[in-house]
Amino acid sequence: KMAGSSAPWIGSAYLFLQSTCKTIVLPSLYESPQKKHSVFKALKLALADSTGSVNGVDMLKVHCSHPHLIVQLKFCKQENCRQFLQSYREGALQESLQNHLQLCLAMTTVPLEMELKAGNEHLDNMLKDEDRCLECIYREKPDRLRDEEITELEECLKSLIVHQSINNNTAVKDCASLNSLSLPYPSQGSTLSPQVTFVFQGQQFANRTLTPDDHQKFAKLVSKKWKQVGRSLQKNCRALRDPVIDNLALEYDREGLYEQAYQLLLRFIQSEGKKATIARLIAALEENGLISLAEELLGLHSNEDCF
């Protein structure tokens, strides 16, 4: 019995991933030297979201088996595995991974299909019986140590986070733990104090932290005015103080306006955390006459106007 054993609880499973969009082939993206790190980062963040901890589940190897990307997972605690199964069953893992892939690969959408297996067992057929799923995962002991490539990707990701933190003048207390890897949208949809609501065009709106959807819409629609919005946000955000905005313009000049705007808001979100609220962004948009974009972010446009 699992509960009666004094040995540590360790189990393994395989997560099969496939994009339902014909133009997005996950194994090809992972095999691409330019995209591999972005796909790995999205996987790492989504798995961290699923257990509430960067160390909740370990990736041992990523297999490219067209059209599937197959991730071998290792669980070291039963409670982490339960959280993962709950996230998988409720669709939260799928949604999280889609969002992270969308952001990391700068794509409009990355629709996914998922399948979870442990040995010969298809866990999707028994998700309602969580204890049975746990037993199947527990029976499958990991047959390998972590792949060297995964270790290298982890190290690269840590270095990237440290580099970004130094550039943003923010302190990283424990880079090795990858705490800063948790989603840059700390409390999506939650209201915040003390400014719980704010007024726009005479209407009251709930204040909340910025979401991936806000991030995408801003980058798509702000166009050439992204710098002006940045200078408005700059007043209360150290990470955007001169010469950061000009450096972003130079660094991402080849990628174009979308990427420049995207990186600007990413710096704001990473630096401000829970304080990166919709109210602050709307105020910056108003200050620069971008009323239509503000309305889009607040859902004031009709469906046919939305993209």
Side-chain angles (χ1 to χ4, degrees), residues 57-299:
V57 55
D58 195 15
M59 279 188 279
L60 297 183
K61 185 173 177 61
V62 177
H63 305 264
C64 293
S65 178
H66 291 259
H68 291 100
L69 197 66
I70 307 171
V71 187
Q72 185 176 6
L73 304 173
K74 175 186 175 183
F75 300 91
C76 291
K77 289 184 180 179
Q78 187 179 151
E79 53 265 37
N80 288 339
C81 194
R82 280 192 186 277
Q83 279 186 287
F84 172 85
L85 286 170
Q86 182 180 349
S87 177
Y88 182 85
R89 183 175 65 246
E90 294 174 352
L93 174 61
Q94 181 173 350
E95 183 180 354
S96 175
L97 183 53
Q98 286 176 165
N99 284 338
H100 286 303
L101 285 169
Q102 183 178 336
L103 289 170
C104 292
L105 296 169
M107 292 181 172
T108 52
T109 181
V110 185
L112 291 176
E113 281 183 351
M114 288 185 168
E115 189 176 1
L116 190 62
K117 295 181 182 179
N120 295 321
E121 299 287 353
H122 292 251
L123 301 187
D124 295 69
N125 299 329
M126 58 179 87
L127 288 173
K128 290 183 180 178
D129 190 345
E130 193 173 278
D131 287 335
R132 188 180 168 200
C133 288
L134 284 167
E135 286 174 9
C136 292
I137 292 171
Y138 179 70
R139 279 202 305 266
E140 293 300 317
K141 301 303 180 194
D143 59 0
R144 63 160 61 242
L145 297 174
R146 182 192 289 190
D147 193 77
E148 287 182 4
E149 182 182 62
I150 298 293
T151 302
E152 289 173 9
L153 288 166
E154 291 264 14
E155 292 303 318
C156 287
L157 196 49
K158 290 175 189 176
S159 299
L160 177 64
I161 296 300
V162 173
H163 177 71
Q164 288 179 343
S165 300
I166 291 170
N167 283 351
N168 293 345
N169 296 319
T170 57
V172 178
K173 294 179 181 177
D174 185 6
C175 301
S177 72
L178 290 176
N179 287 334
S180 53
L181 273 184
S182 57
L183 224 183
Y185 315 93
S187 303
Q188 291 181 32
S190 65
T191 55
L192 300 167
S193 298
Q195 188 185 4
V196 179
T197 62
F198 66 100
V199 177
F200 174 74
Q201 293 185 339
Q203 293 185 53
Q204 268 202 341
F205 294 89
N207 196 14
R208 55 176 174 76
T209 51
L210 294 170
T211 67
D213 190 49
D214 298 327
H215 199 162
Q216 289 284 342
K217 286 182 178 179
F218 173 81
K220 279 187 174 184
L221 301 176
V222 71
S223 192
K224 293 179 181 179
K225 286 197 171 183
W226 69 270
K227 272 190 175 184
Q228 287 105 300
V229 175
R231 299 202 192 286
S232 295
L233 292 172
Q234 179 187 74
K235 298 169 187 174
N236 299 305
C237 177
R238 287 183 59 195
L240 294 180
R241 295 202 179 147
D242 292 330
V244 172
I245 294 173
D246 289 333
N247 288 345
L248 285 175
L250 290 171
E251 187 177 351
Y252 296 96
D253 180 55
R254 287 188 178 182
E255 286 84 352
L257 293 173
Y258 172 91
E259 190 62 25
Q260 290 169 332
Y262 177 86
Q263 292 295 331
L264 171 83
L265 201 59
L266 182 61
R267 297 291 193 283
F268 177 67
I269 291 167
Q270 288 178 330
S271 168
E272 298 297 294
K274 292 181 180 181
K275 294 179 183 177
T277 63
I278 189 69
R280 291 176 68 182
L281 182 56
I282 294 299
L285 294 174
E286 276 193 288
E287 189 174 312
N288 292 283
L290 294 167
I291 304 303
S292 180
L293 175 50
E295 291 173 344
E296 186 73 55
L297 293 176
L298 294 173

